[in-house]
Amino acid sequence: MTDSAHKAMWEKLDLDLNAHDALLSVLGKFYGDIFLAQEGRLKGAEYLDFVLSEVHGLRIRELQEAKALGRKVIGSFCVFVPEEITLAAEAVHVGLCAGADAGTELAEQLVPRNTCALIKSFIGFKMARLCPYIESCDMIVGETTCDGKKKAYEAFNEIAPTYVMEVPQTKSAPARELWKAEILRCLRAVEELTGRTITPERLKEGIRLVNEKRRALQRLTALRAASPAPISGRDALLVNQISFYDDPVRFTAKINELCDELEARIARGEGVAPKNAPRLLLSGCPMAVPNWKLPFVVESTGAVIVGEESCIGTRNTRDLVDESADTLEGMIDALADRYMKIDCACFTPNTERLDNVSNLARQVHADGVIHYSLLFCQPYTHEALKVDKRLAADGLPMLSIETDYSMEDVEQLKTRVEAFVETLG
Ligand code: BJ8
């Protein structure tokens, strides 16, 4: 696709072309430094590079083509919004969380300054007319998770009509019933939007497709337990980030190919870092594209990231939906059960997350954990203390980091991460 064809499409989507060009050129440079400069990358990384280079180009073209054929595009900000329902209605599901400082000043006209960078970013991208995904959406789905998001959707609704799912705050039986009702309400709203009836057969297929995608990502997680580490944390994070944008069938096939390559590499005893490189698990807030700052800082110290306990990581891939039901009611139950296992810090209590962090650290043979909270994110900052206590009991060191999307603290982060990595011996 030519540059002018891209431009015409972005113009049609009413993007601010100058600001968008500037954003893409910064991102291109950033991507080169953080990803392309790595040594020992997999052949399968070419696919990641291609998808990223066309994330605002060919993929957006595909969305427009799908829309021209009568399919709808549904965007979401949270892993609680079931992609299975979107696929069952033959619609396209895209992630809208944003990981860059863009339009922050504009966003601060709608939400307070002391709001986390992720929220300010998606609002900023919309207000600055920088995101072709938001502009392609026929339905945007928010959710009542943290207070920041809940209140932000009220404001966001003024500039982009937002359907909000009510996510409960506890894992009690009534909370599970509420969530099940919310899944059904969402299913009906998607049927209305798309004009398609979600039959048991269609929902079963949607569940199967998303399970296949999660299985491929689970396979990747399992392979990262190898020593030496066969893939960098940066590339693995990129895989997880791309999973929110790419076509699910193509993505699953490509990630399984990448896993085949990883298996061969592991069999040869090869890796991306020396066998004795410190192995770190990242845990905490999701890292949306293009939030690559911390992984870059960590791996610049010579350590290697072997897992992400996050929604752009194992929190989104650990659990599958039971595929045994044949009725709509049974499948909605299966969806409710699977989604209620998500250990988001917005839940109280959320003790299963402590077990999940501890188990994952063991599974991937981590030498230490870096807990990552976005500044002003109350839920994850609170839980950092609990995770630290639990890991200390397990004999695993943890470093707690709070940061945002700005580059101002990069040197300070480097110093702290280096000091932590040194203590791991
Ligand atoms: S299920 S983690 S994707 S809500 S960083 S906006 S929590 S103040 S992103 Fe999340 Fe769903 Fe939970 Fe996952 Fe609020 Fe914290 Fe900001 Fe956050």
Side-chain angles (χ1 to χ4, degrees), residues 77-80 116 118-119 143 145-146 149 285-286 311 315 342 344 346 374 376-377 379-380:
F77 303 96
C78 175
V79 297
F80 264 97
C116 85
L118 187 146
I119 294 172
E143 74 311 316
T145 44
C146 67
K149 274 184 165 179
C285 289
C311 285
R315 199 175 304 125
I342 298 174
C344 175
C346 301
L374 278 171
F376 309 122
C377 172
Y380 283 92

Side-chain angles (χ1 to χ4, degrees), residues 84-90 184 187-188 190-192 194-208 325-332 335:
E84 293 87 344
I85 290 177
T86 304
L87 297 181
E90 293 171 64
L184 188 58
L187 183 146
R188 297 294 176 224
V190 170
E191 282 184 328
E192 198 178 320
T194 59
R196 287 179 169 82
T197 304
I198 297 183
T199 60
E201 293 72 28
R202 283 181 174 162
L203 187 54
K204 204 173 177 71
E205 179 60 4
I207 289 172
R208 191 189 67 75
D326 289 317
T327 62
L328 206 60
E329 171 84 14
M331 288 178 221
I332 290 170
L335 284 169

Side-chain angles (χ1 to χ4, degrees), residues 278-282 298 301 303 366-371 388 391 396-401 413-425:
R279 301 168 64 90
L280 294 175
L281 173 69
L282 293 185
V298 170
T301 68
D367 300 311
V369 175
I370 295 189
H371 193 281
D388 192 21
L391 293 175
L396 260 188
M398 183 187 114
L399 172 69
S400 180
I401 286 197
L413 286 177
K414 266 190 191 153
T415 310
R416 291 189 63 207
V417 173
E418 266 164 14
F420 179 64
V421 168
E422 269 174 34
T423 65
L424 302 176

